[in-house]
Amino acid sequence: MAEKYDQSSPSLEGDEILGGPRGEGRYHDTDVFGHEENHDIRYKTLSWQLVAVLMIAEIVSNGMLSLPSSLAVVGLVPGVILIVFLGVFGLFTSWILIQFKLRHPEVHNMGDAGLILFGPIGREVLSFGTIVFAVFATGGQLLAGQIALGSLSNSKLCLMLYTGIFAIPTLICALPRTLDRLSWLSIPSVFSILIAGIVGMIGAGVSFPIANVAVTVNTSFVTAFISITNPVFAYAGHFMFFILISEMKHPRDAMKAAWVLQTFATTFYVVFAIVLYVYVGNSVASPAFSSLPDKWQKAAYGIAIPNFLIAGSLYSHTAAKLMFVRFFRKSEHLYTNTVLGWSVWIFLIFLMNAAAFVLAVGVPIFNYLIGIAASLFASWYTYGLAGAFWLYDTWVDKGGMPALKRHWPMTGLSVATLAAGAFICVAGTYVTIKQIVDAYKANTVSAPFSC
């Protein structure tokens, strides 16, 4: 079982946990990467600014392109309220995850957290879920790249070939062993999705008159929840937070990165969704760029390609990193340039990207499977499990049930967070399965490996 971090005076405050004003001291004694002074490969090199860039590059990606269509289904006001609420909720759960990581430096990923909360079975389930979701998310980025390349070339090639073409640079960019190297690639990635979104909004503004938009829309639960899952999963990046914080120079600064992420993401999501919906109207497509006239569509997709590529690389890197650290934790192969270490690392990166490619082109219902994976795992990683983390630490370190009663507002919020994760998980899985059934009934499912 993972080593439990020992504190002489239990507290939920980061400064006390880390034993110093800059996050050094006792934290590194039990940290997953330990003291790195004499290591060939040093992981703990990220500043909070670069972590913010990595978070934005990972989360603010092709998921935002589905938000305008969500407004078309539920209406302008409910849609905007939902996006803002989920952004604030995501910031709250980010704070809990960061506090949990500071209290448990040995936690590198959700699997390690599962070991602390639920024992060996919890570790395997949460590790498996992280890998599955990361691979599926990589596949989703490959499909986004496929759509972008197809738009730029007027679909002159088989779509499967576009996916393969896009998979190669995605694999190459995932190869660096440390996230510090990927963080510098993430800077142009963030600029690309920001500029692409601005170009898309300009294209909508100059190409369409203001549409007749609905403030609210009456719709069925299934239809509404399908659209609600779009903003829910547009924030689904928390499963990477432990891995990102593990490679920070000063982990106590992680909350600064979370503030930047959620402020940027929520503001950008709201503005982008409103502008595209107001100009394109109820016919807005998902992804939204596909609703634009040809020249604007090409411009937006072309500019967004670096973001799709780097986001896919970050996801596959995450899946490979989880397994690599699991294999070689406290081994020289983790931090030394050994033949075995590099061979295993390259193999894992290839395996994760190959799996994402095969799933993306070989499974006709892959888009629906992404929804199921997000419902089963991201609902817990981004929302539900945060409640369990706070309840566990308060129970263990502050005195059990009396402590939970004493901190009853946070106890109530934590229980509500668990309930929200459970609701999103069950309802999201149900509506996605219903979509699959309806697609087969309507005979709209293509053959595997088709163009």
Side-chain angles (χ1 to χ4, degrees):
M1 188 170 183
E3 184 181 356
K4 177 72 171 64
Y5 185 55
D6 181 31
Q7 296 181 83
S8 57
S9 57
S11 167
L12 290 179
E13 296 302 320
D15 286 340
E16 293 185 26
I17 293 166
L18 295 173
R22 294 306 308 160
E24 299 175 356
R26 291 178 297 167
Y27 180 92
H28 297 289
D29 294 336
T30 53
D31 175 69
V32 62
F33 296 120
H35 294 276
E36 296 189 315
E37 291 80 6
N38 300 316
H39 291 179
D40 294 340
I41 300 172
R42 298 186 181 185
Y43 293 91
K44 294 184 290 187
T45 56
L46 289 171
S47 65
W48 71 263
Q49 292 92 342
L50 288 178
V51 170
V53 169
L54 283 163
M55 288 178 171
I56 293 172
E58 171 230 344
I59 290 178
V60 183
S61 189
N62 65 336
M64 77 171 194
L65 301 182
S66 63
L67 297 180
S69 65
S70 294
L71 268 59
V73 173
V74 300
L76 182 65
V77 172
V80 171
I81 291 174
L82 183 64
I83 294 172
V84 174
F85 170 76
L86 290 172
V88 175
F89 193 15
L91 183 64
F92 170 69
T93 56
S94 296
W95 173 75
I96 296 179
L97 263 65
I98 290 167
Q99 292 298 311
F100 186 82
K101 168 61 180 173
L102 297 182
R103 293 184 65 82
H104 304 276
E106 72 275 16
V107 169
H108 174 257
N109 52 69
M110 282 290 178
D112 293 340
L115 177 62
I116 292 173
L117 265 64
F118 310 116
I121 294 177
R123 181 181 198 177
E124 302 306 331
V125 170
L126 295 187
S127 294
F128 175 77
T130 300
I131 294 169
V132 168
F133 184 66
V135 169
F136 275 52
T138 304
Q141 297 296 336
L142 294 183
L143 290 181
Q146 174 203 88
I147 294 171
L149 293 177
S151 173
L152 289 171
S153 64
N154 296 317
S155 299
K156 292 180 179 179
L157 299 177
C158 171
L159 292 179
M160 186 170 64
L161 291 178
Y162 289 126
T163 311
I165 292 170
F166 201 74
I168 295 172
T170 300
L171 184 153
I172 293 172
C173 289
L175 281 173
R177 286 269 286 271
T178 64
L179 285 167
D180 177 65
R181 302 292 179 88
L182 271 172
S183 67
W184 295 104
L185 293 175
S186 295
I187 294 174
S189 168
V190 170
F191 278 110
S192 78
I193 196 65
L194 174 62
I195 296 171
I198 293 172
V199 168
M201 289 186 283
I202 294 173
V206 301
S207 302
F208 303 101
I210 294 178
N212 293 320
V213 299
V215 176
T216 60
V217 176
N218 291 322
T219 185
S220 67
F221 169 78
V222 172
T223 303
F225 199 84
I226 289 171
S227 67
I228 289 172
T229 57
N230 292 332
V232 167
F233 301 133
Y235 288 106
H238 289 42
F239 77 105
M240 281 184 63
F241 281 11
F242 289 147
I243 291 176
L244 289 169
I245 298 169
S246 294
E247 299 194 26
M248 289 185 69
K249 289 183 287 189
H250 305 299
R252 69 182 295 275
D253 289 337
M255 198 59 209
K256 296 177 183 178
W259 271 105
V260 173
L261 163 68
Q262 297 297 346
T263 302
F264 176 85
T266 303
T267 303
F268 191 43
Y269 285 169
V270 167
V271 173
F272 180 80
I274 289 175
V275 172
L276 266 292
Y277 175 51
V278 165
Y279 282 101
V280 180
N282 292 329
S283 62
V284 64
S286 179
F289 288 160
S290 296
S291 300
L292 300 174
D294 189 60
K295 65 178 181 179
W296 289 102
Q297 181 181 146
K298 282 181 167 61
Y301 274 130
I303 295 169
I305 282 177
N307 176 266
F308 299 157
L309 191 156
I310 297 302
S313 298
L314 283 170
Y315 289 133
S316 60
H317 180 101
T318 297
K321 182 67 72 62
L322 185 153
M323 296 184 68
F324 189 76
V325 172
R326 180 76 176 271
F327 293 155
F328 295 125
R329 189 187 289 245
K330 300 189 186 226
S331 162
E332 65 170 354
H333 303 295
L334 182 66
Y335 54 80
T336 304
N337 291 309
T338 64
V339 173
L340 177 62
W342 274 105
S343 298
V344 171
W345 175 251
I346 292 171
F347 171 75
L348 288 173
I349 290 293
F350 176 82
L351 179 65
M352 299 307 161
N353 282 276
F357 170 76
V358 171
L359 287 167
V361 301
V363 179
I365 58 171
F366 180 68
N367 275 326
Y368 299 116
L369 293 184
I370 294 175
I372 291 178
S375 298
L376 290 175
F377 300 114
S379 59
W380 292 108
Y381 297 153
T382 303
Y383 301 109
L385 279 176
F389 294 152
W390 188 89
L391 292 171
Y392 174 87
D393 273 345
T394 303
W395 178 280
V396 171
D397 293 324
K398 288 201 167 186
M401 185 58 70
L404 295 179
K405 291 180 179 179
R406 190 165 59 251
H407 299 281
W408 61 267
M410 270 300 298
T411 300
L413 283 173
S414 297
V415 172
T417 299
L418 275 169
F423 174 73
I424 295 170
C425 175
V426 174
T429 303
Y430 167 75
V431 299
T432 306
I433 291 175
K434 190 176 187 308
Q435 281 183 294
I436 295 173
V437 173
D438 292 344
Y440 273 105
K441 284 182 179 179
N443 199 30
T444 57
V445 179
S446 61
F449 299 101
S450 63
C451 288

